[in-house]
Amino acid sequence: MHIVIMGCGRVGSTLAHILEDNGHSVAIIDRDPQAFRRLRAGFRGRRVTGVGFDRDVLEEAGIASAGSFVAVSSGDNSNIISARVARETFGVDNVVARIYDSRRAEVYQRLGIPTVATVRWTADQILRRILPEGAEPLWRDPTGTVLLAEVTCNPAWIGTRISDLEAGVGARVAFLNRMGEALLPKADTVVQEGDILHVIAAENDMDRINKVLAGAPEEDH
């Protein structure tokens, strides 16, 4: 796949190296030609000087044949404009824009532009490392309303089918960790001792979910 990256900062240059190592062709755009010094000496991709929402610059970067476009410059406005031009003008379906302002990220997400809200994500990663296990979600959507969280079960749930657990708890089990390996459960998968469950749910419903799982299942489940 050919991938165009706007922004040759630490994130952009790291992405470029990883993608190239995985066999993809890469073009990276930056308005500052000195930024390309972050690329390793053996980088084989294209270096294009300019702004990522300029059509001529994008065409020089090979946007017409790109399977993906990534906007990770330091400016929110530049990132979202570039992502929209890549999608709406050049028809690139797979676009991602880094946004520092999580409130704006919500708006752009509704416009159909996948975003990474950098500050919120970074804060979550730090909190997961300094707070007790399970206190912070593993992932949350850019609006902050839906999250993936590790939950603790009362041992009384052992032996319960996932479909029955989901019905009793009122939440979807996204995956479980069994003996150090991730497992996508089926409806008839049975909870075993040592399983670590991960549920995806609305953030404002997590307190209720944790309380239900802390107790024993209802008899009819």
Side-chain angles (χ1 to χ4, degrees):
M1 181 190 301
H2 180 59
I3 299 163
V4 177
I5 300 171
M6 187 191 83
C8 194
R10 285 175 294 180
V11 174
S13 58
T14 299
L15 282 172
H17 293 151
I18 293 172
L19 289 167
E20 188 173 73
D21 288 344
N22 281 279
H24 301 288
S25 66
V26 180
I28 190 160
I29 301 168
D30 202 288
R31 66 176 66 200
D32 180 9
Q34 295 300 313
F36 299 128
R37 297 173 65 179
R38 292 189 176 92
L39 297 170
R40 61 193 176 198
F43 179 70
R44 300 184 303 277
R46 305 181 203 174
R47 301 168 175 84
V48 181
T49 303
V51 293
F53 47 83
D54 183 287
R55 296 186 184 185
D56 292 337
V57 169
L58 287 169
E59 288 176 350
E60 184 180 348
I63 195 69
S65 61
S68 298
F69 176 82
V70 181
V72 288
S73 76
S74 59
D76 284 6
N77 288 337
S78 296
N79 288 342
I80 198 62
I81 293 171
S82 299
R84 294 192 68 179
V85 170
R87 169 169 285 179
E88 297 168 13
T89 302
F90 293 98
V92 180
D93 291 328
N94 192 16
V95 301
V96 180
R98 178 176 66 178
I99 304 297
Y100 284 94
D101 187 338
S102 59
R103 294 169 298 179
R104 297 172 75 185
E106 176 181 353
V107 175
Y108 298 137
Q109 192 82 8
R110 290 174 178 172
L111 292 174
I113 303 293
T115 60
V116 177
T118 306
V119 174
R120 176 71 258 187
W121 184 89
T122 303
D124 282 346
Q125 296 300 304
I126 293 172
L127 289 169
R128 283 183 57 209
R129 287 160 174 78
I130 64 175
L131 294 179
E133 184 176 358
E136 274 297 303
L138 302 172
W139 170 89
R140 76 172 74 227
D141 80 306
T143 69
T145 58
V146 177
L147 55 82
L148 174 68
E150 179 181 311
V151 293
T152 302
C153 285
N154 186 310
W157 288 94
I158 294 173
T160 304
R161 293 189 308 173
I162 289 294
S163 58
D164 292 335
L165 183 146
E166 290 179 335
V169 176
R172 178 65 57 84
V173 177
F175 70 97
L176 57 85
N177 187 297
R178 177 171 292 171
M179 299 181 66
E181 294 187 1
L183 173 67
L184 295 176
K186 298 179 180 178
D188 59 353
T189 298
V190 174
V191 178
Q192 297 181 8
E193 184 177 359
D195 284 352
I196 301 172
L197 301 183
H198 297 80
V199 301
I200 190 159
E203 182 174 30
N204 58 15
D205 201 28
M206 283 306 304
D207 285 343
R208 181 195 64 80
I209 292 169
N210 282 317
K211 287 178 182 177
V212 173
L213 287 172
E218 297 289 338
E219 291 185 1
D220 57 348
H221 297 304

